[in-house]
Amino acid sequence: HLRFHSRVRSILKTQHLPTPFTMSDPESAILAALSASPEATIPDTYTFSSTHNLDHNQVVGVSKSLEGDAYVKLTELSTSFFVLGKEADSIVNDGSQEMCVLAALIEAGEGGLSMSDLQGLVGKDVCKIGMGNCLKNKWAKKEKDGKLVAVVKMEDVKDEVRELLQQLKEGGGDPKSLDDKDVTALKRRKLISLVTRKSYSIVRGPSYSSTRVKRAADLTKEMLDSGKWKETPFKEYNFKTLGESVGGGYLHPLLKVRAEFRKILMEMGFHEMPTNKWVESSFWNFDSLFQPQSHPARDAHDTFFIKEPAQTVLVPEEYYDKVKTMHEVGGSGSIGYRYDFKREEAFKNLLRTHTTAVSSQMLYKLANQKGGFQPARYFSIDRVFRNETMDATHLCEF
């Protein structure tokens, strides 16, 4: 296989790449190229990069940096060209698959070659493509015994595919170097692909200099003390530019959940109780719910009591009397707690420890509304307070 290809290469020509130039600094190279005259220009950064053996991406990056300091001006260029694929490069070096197959068949003589023998000489992939094109071009024929035999001589044919690829390569991939029919044929065989390259032309900017002086971005105390600020070039400030837009904030995840539950309950026909009053009296927070006044939850280490005003002004007296009686002697089957119910304890103000304090008031209002008690559906979701030790997972409010 390798010996055969070495013989084919002796028939077909090869190409050599040019020797690269010496590496240089991108910024120095750009500014030096523009120093020849005020009208000096770099027509194309890609060509410039190749000539100076520089990386084109680095040249573009440095050029944009220089443009930011007004040393140069850039104009964007767009160039479309064809590039050869791996298979196309192989054809340029060794010839097309059909020429390799034809050379093998001519060397085999009138006896021809079987499919397996041909694959052994040129390789399975080359055989598959080359044999089809040889038969299509009528360079070979298939005998009754299945063998392939050449019907033309090597000097009677030419490798058009290789010539087209060489022509395209020598033309730098310029689409105009081939006609549309040839381009279509090469693209059909997936030998070439169209690429669009972005590059720039460069001319002098208003602040051009052969060397770049770094401009200071900030005025420092040291500059003021030494007077160096008088000689230091500064970057221009845009006092009209707008700052980054500030959003209006975001809802806390718990508030989102609260809003979702409110929507669900209201769609089910519930009404929301008024829970906007965080300060409650002990009467509504504890006594009306029949929690004894000696309960440990009513101590200062569990509940936030208000210093000013320390006591509420008013509670429904008739209901107060009923609650007091229930605590002291009971009723409706209860014997009560059997203690002296204290008014000053009931009137203490506090930060509510649960929203059930609102529920007790709503039950009182429903029972005393005009027309008597009527069933209703209510809910409440709001903030409550407990005198707890704060840590990573606990707050005094929730």
Side-chain angles (χ1 to χ4, degrees), residues 281-283 285-288 290-303 305 327 339 341-342 344-348 350 353:
S281 66
S282 294
F283 176 78
N285 197 82
F286 295 126
D287 297 324
S288 64
F290 304 107
Q291 188 178 89
Q293 292 184 337
S294 60
H295 195 282
R298 301 178 68 153
D299 293 339
H301 65 269
D302 282 325
T303 302
F305 289 95
H327 275 259
Y339 72 97
F341 188 86
K342 297 180 179 179
E344 61 271 17
E345 186 68 28
F347 272 56
K348 285 183 179 180
L350 50 81
T353 61

Side-chain angles (χ1 to χ4, degrees), residues 280-284 309-315 346-349:
E280 286 287 359
S281 66
S282 294
F283 176 78
W284 290 116
Q311 290 193 330
T312 188
V313 176
L314 182 67
V315 296
F347 272 56
K348 285 183 179 180
N349 282 331

Side-chain angles (χ1 to χ4, degrees), residues 70-86:
Y71 279 76
V72 300
K73 288 183 179 180
L74 303 181
T75 303
E76 186 174 318
L77 305 174
S78 179
T79 306
S80 296
F81 57 94
F82 287 107
V83 294
L84 275 60
K86 188 175 181 181

Side-chain angles (χ1 to χ4, degrees), residues 85-355:
K86 188 175 181 181
E87 184 182 342
D89 286 330
S90 177
I91 290 175
V92 171
N93 293 326
D94 302 330
S96 64
Q97 294 93 332
E98 50 266 39
M99 290 298 289
C100 292
V101 169
L102 178 60
L105 294 177
I106 290 175
E107 188 170 334
E110 296 180 359
L113 292 171
S114 65
M115 183 67 68
S116 59
D117 291 338
L118 182 59
Q119 288 179 353
L121 282 172
V122 300
K124 189 175 181 179
D125 294 336
V126 173
C127 177
K128 180 180 179 181
I129 299 172
M131 182 191 69
N133 288 326
C134 277
L135 294 174
K136 179 182 177 181
N137 295 336
K138 297 182 180 180
W139 293 353
K141 65 179 181 178
K142 185 178 286 188
E143 299 289 2
K144 293 181 179 180
D145 58 0
K147 290 186 176 182
L148 291 167
V149 179
V151 296
V152 295
K153 296 179 180 179
M154 186 65 75
E155 58 268 21
D156 295 333
V157 298
K158 62 179 181 178
D159 195 346
E160 293 183 357
V161 174
R162 187 188 186 203
E163 290 178 0
L164 290 174
L165 290 173
Q166 285 179 328
Q167 183 178 342
L168 189 62
K169 190 172 184 178
E170 291 169 359
D174 186 359
K176 296 180 181 179
S177 61
L178 299 178
D179 58 38
D180 294 340
K181 182 180 178 182
D182 294 332
V183 168
T184 302
L186 295 177
K187 289 173 68 175
R188 188 183 298 117
R189 289 183 63 164
K190 298 180 180 180
L191 298 174
I192 59 174
S193 57
L194 186 66
V195 173
T196 300
R197 180 181 64 227
K198 299 293 184 182
S199 58
Y200 297 86
S201 65
I202 308 177
V203 296
R204 288 187 179 189
S207 301
Y208 171 78
S209 175
S210 58
T211 55
R212 175 155 62 166
V213 178
K214 187 176 180 180
R215 295 187 177 188
D218 297 307
L219 181 64
T220 65
K221 179 180 179 297
E222 290 74 15
M223 290 180 184
L224 294 172
D225 292 341
S226 64
K228 192 176 179 180
W229 63 272
K230 298 178 181 179
E231 304 171 357
T232 303
F234 288 91
K235 291 183 178 179
E236 292 184 2
Y237 284 87
N238 184 0
F239 294 101
K240 296 182 180 180
T241 187
L242 297 176
E244 186 176 355
S245 60
V246 179
Y250 302 92
L251 286 175
H252 190 280
L254 289 178
L255 292 179
K256 290 184 178 181
V257 174
R258 171 186 170 180
E260 186 175 350
F261 278 121
R262 285 183 73 251
K263 181 180 179 182
I264 292 171
L265 290 168
M266 286 182 170
E267 288 176 350
M268 293 172 65
F270 285 81
H271 296 279
E272 187 172 12
M273 292 185 284
T275 57
N276 56 343
K277 188 172 67 172
W278 293 350
V279 176
E280 286 287 359
S281 66
S282 294
F283 176 78
W284 290 116
N285 197 82
F286 295 126
D287 297 324
S288 64
L289 300 173
F290 304 107
Q291 188 178 89
Q293 292 184 337
S294 60
H295 195 282
R298 301 178 68 153
D299 293 339
H301 65 269
D302 282 325
T303 302
F304 289 111
F305 289 95
I306 305 300
K307 288 184 177 180
E308 183 65 33
Q311 290 193 330
T312 188
V313 176
L314 182 67
V315 296
E317 286 297 331
E318 79 284 357
Y319 189 54
Y320 172 83
D321 292 337
K322 291 178 181 179
V323 171
K324 180 177 182 293
T325 301
M326 187 63 70
H327 275 259
E328 291 181 338
V329 298
S332 301
S334 170
I335 63 172
Y337 291 116
R338 306 282 178 162
Y339 72 97
D340 292 331
F341 188 86
K342 297 180 179 179
R343 186 179 182 88
E344 61 271 17
E345 186 68 28
F347 272 56
K348 285 183 179 180
N349 282 331
L350 50 81
L351 292 177
R352 67 183 179 207
T353 61
H354 44 217
T355 56

